[in-house]
Amino acid sequence: MATLSEILILNGALPIEYLDAMTGHEDVDEHAIRSLVEQGVVSEAQYITARAASHNSKTVPLTDYPVDGTAVSVLPAPLCRRHSVLGIGFEGETLVLAMVNPANVLAIDDARAASGRPIKPLQVDERDLLAAFDRYLRADDELNDLTSSLEEEARTTEQQADIGDGSLDDVPIVRFVNLLVSQAIQDHASDIHIEPGEHEVRVRYRIDGVLHEMTPAPKNIQNGVISRLKIMSDIDIAERRKPQDGRMSVRHGGRQIDLRVATLPTVWGEKVVMRILDNTNTSLTLKDLNLLDRNAAAYQRSYSKPYGMILVTGPTGSGKSTTLYTTLNAVAKPEINVITVEDPVEYRMAGVNQVQVNPKAGLTFASALRSILRSDPDVVLLGEIRDHETAQIAIEASLTGHLVLSTLHTNDAPSAITRLTEMDIEPFLVGSALDCVVAQRLARKLCDRCKAPAFYEAEQLHALGFLDSADAAVPDFFAPIGCSVCSNTGYRGRIALHEVMTVTEEIERLAVSRASSAEISRVAQEQGMLTLRMDGWEKVKLGLTSVDEILRVVA
């Protein structure tokens, strides 16, 4: 196998006399080449390409390649996506082209014609290239240009018409909305917020649980954008005085993405919030939920039973639906009948009977649940327990041989018991029916590429409640740094924090005696329950997230 120096000499990146200076030993050879890179004798791109070749690898690691932004802009984005190529650098007048398939002559010819330059193909991994598309082929610049042109057009027409009366050209509005949604999906956003203000329309994406401001849109196009979204979501465009809900589907990257749309009248116009529903969540396994071993075992024992009630609690956007759908994936089999009642149906699942609540037609949670119990279900998923009637029927169903999965809005697992008794459910029924409660939060996951060791004093960690004493040993920690992969945030993706409480005989007795949630929590912790902060602490020690992130999401 050729060494780094030999490959660089063969490629013309090093003069032949450098060969005598190298020892030929692989480690020493690489160390010597790195010093030449630091001196500027060998470029970073030449080093990465040669290193891949020295390890008999056909692909170059694109995540480490110093991508030249000028080279990226040489080729239009539609061409790059159509042929799975990306300009990443120059060698003289030659454009270095990252390709999944360097034998694609048609792609090379199109890139040569579009750039007017000779092409040097470089094979890269498909996943690396798709990640590079998300990073470099963003719609931001096009959105900026389109926003400017729309604003200019509106300025020239506002003398003849009122703002937003529909006189503006429809095509740019359609393009603006499409780019807005496309960029959000590329950025792995969970929500898109379009918020009218006094002078402009604010656009924000929620990425990894945190809102990020995007380029604002001019006030002149507000009504046009909102009307377009309403049409796509099958919402009444004439009704602007009350909140409305709808749903739309778009195709992105060869797959269908559903969006749940909600409008809300504000003083400056209608606010629109779009929840992006990625159906890949329905194929998750329980291992993907990052449950600690003890929590995973307790939870599995509960959903493996043929009857009983399992509740997942937490605020909006804490991943409750994902946990329930993942549980359904684990229990749904051809030999059992699974029926869900949801408002709205967020993810479509094959082999599962899903019912959409429709209050206008009289189909509420309670009436739907009452009806489906006559359809011989084995497992029932109830979107949310909101009132006494729904809670009463759900508890009775769990006591008559059905496994009932549902959600409840409480801050922690023990509070679910007191919340049900506050709904006027008899405490002895709560204790008998409830089998397990899972409280959940989502925390940002540290970027694996750039996270770095962090150092804390034992006293500081003890004060935060992460150590039992100020003299305890401090484990290894990691902190966010930021790189091109994670958009310089230091975090990429999210993990769930869990509080799994199994309803034991002792907790059942406390429920019957109407004990407080604090007393139930104390007994549950004595029996081995980890609180949300304890679970977060364990995941900090595993290097999955940071201390600051746990303090941000858990009280």
Side-chain angles (χ1 to χ4, degrees), residues 45-107:
Q46 290 169 332
Y47 165 73
I48 291 171
T49 307
R51 191 171 183 274
S54 71
H55 289 84
N56 283 338
S57 173
K58 291 184 178 179
T59 61
V60 171
L62 192 56
T63 50
D64 297 327
Y65 198 94
V67 176
D68 187 335
T70 308
V72 172
S73 61
V74 166
L75 298 177
L79 184 148
C80 293
R81 294 189 183 280
R82 185 168 68 250
H83 290 307
S84 293
V85 299
L86 185 70
I88 56 174
F90 299 104
E91 290 187 4
E93 290 299 312
T94 301
L95 176 66
V96 179
L97 193 66
M99 306 180 66
V100 175
N101 179 19
N104 188 341
V105 180
L106 181 62

Side-chain angles (χ1 to χ4, degrees), residues 133-152:
F133 282 171
D134 290 347
R135 211 156 53 243
Y136 301 111
L137 299 185
R138 296 177 57 83
D140 294 4
D141 293 338
E142 194 174 352
L143 274 172
N144 285 339
D145 295 341
L146 191 55
T147 298
S148 300
S149 64
L150 283 168
E151 192 169 16
E152 184 62 34

Side-chain angles (χ1 to χ4, degrees), residues 343-510:
D343 182 24
V345 174
E346 293 193 353
Y347 304 106
R348 268 73 167 182
M349 290 188 71
V352 174
N353 306 286
Q354 295 175 280
V355 178
Q356 168 78 52
V357 169
N358 185 357
K360 291 181 181 177
L363 187 64
T364 62
F365 274 115
S367 64
L369 186 55
R370 199 179 294 111
S371 299
I372 66 174
L373 290 177
R374 294 193 286 269
S375 300
D376 186 33
D378 297 295
V379 179
V380 177
L381 186 149
L382 191 59
E384 185 183 348
I385 293 177
R386 298 176 179 174
D387 52 44
H388 167 77
E389 188 180 7
T390 307
Q392 186 72 40
I393 300 170
I395 283 193
E396 288 172 358
S398 67
L399 290 170
T400 53
H402 304 90
L403 178 63
V404 179
L405 309 172
S406 188
T407 68
L408 197 65
H409 284 285
T410 63
N411 287 326
D412 56 14
S415 298
I417 293 176
T418 54
R419 179 80 181 95
L420 288 171
T421 55
E422 286 169 3
M423 289 182 176
D424 291 331
I425 304 297
E426 291 294 338
F428 70 90
L429 289 178
V430 175
S432 302
L434 202 55
D435 192 77
C436 180
V437 184
V438 180
Q440 186 167 308
R441 296 289 188 280
L442 290 179
R444 289 180 294 173
K445 185 180 179 183
L446 285 169
C447 174
D448 291 328
R449 188 168 181 266
C450 67
K451 66 181 181 182
F455 303 97
Y456 290 88
E457 297 292 337
E459 294 85 357
Q460 182 183 3
L461 293 173
H462 174 59
L464 294 172
F466 284 134
L467 287 181
D468 294 332
S469 70
D471 300 325
V474 177
D476 295 331
F477 291 109
F478 290 91
I481 299 298
C483 65
S484 59
V485 172
C486 59
S487 303
N488 293 314
T489 62
Y491 297 97
R492 185 166 174 80
R494 288 192 286 181
I495 59 167
L497 311 180
H498 303 95
E499 183 176 281
V500 180
M501 183 184 78
T502 304
V503 180
T504 60
E505 289 184 14
E506 292 85 352
I507 292 176
E508 188 175 340
R509 280 197 291 271
L510 289 173

Side-chain angles (χ1 to χ4, degrees), residues 111-221:
R112 186 185 296 114
S115 65
R117 293 170 174 269
I119 300 296
K120 178 185 176 180
L122 207 61
Q123 186 170 354
V124 298
D125 184 78
E126 185 176 11
R127 287 172 299 181
D128 286 355
L129 188 62
L130 290 175
F133 282 171
D134 290 347
R135 211 156 53 243
Y136 301 111
L137 299 185
R138 296 177 57 83
D140 294 4
D141 293 338
E142 194 174 352
L143 274 172
N144 285 339
D145 295 341
L146 191 55
T147 298
S148 300
S149 64
L150 283 168
E151 192 169 16
E152 184 62 34
E153 188 178 349
R155 198 176 292 120
T156 58
T157 58
E158 63 185 355
Q159 300 300 322
Q160 291 84 23
D162 291 334
I163 292 173
D165 68 346
S167 63
L168 294 181
D169 184 11
D170 259 353
V171 175
I173 294 287
V174 171
R175 227 168 97 234
F176 179 86
V177 169
N178 291 346
L179 284 169
L180 210 60
V181 174
S182 176
Q183 188 58 62
I185 296 171
Q186 278 188 36
D187 287 350
H188 304 288
S190 59
D191 300 88
I192 306 170
H193 291 243
I194 298 172
E195 303 166 325
E198 183 179 3
H199 303 295
E200 62 183 15
V201 179
R202 185 162 68 158
V203 178
R204 296 193 289 175
Y205 293 164
R206 187 178 292 280
I207 303 171
D208 292 338
V210 178
L211 284 169
H212 298 267
E213 287 211 27
M214 311 307 289
T215 306
K219 184 74 174 176
N220 314 72
I221 68 168

Side-chain angles (χ1 to χ4, degrees), residues 13-25:
L14 271 180
I16 188 69
E17 52 265 24
Y18 274 94
L19 189 60
D20 297 332
M22 306 300 176
T23 65
H25 188 278

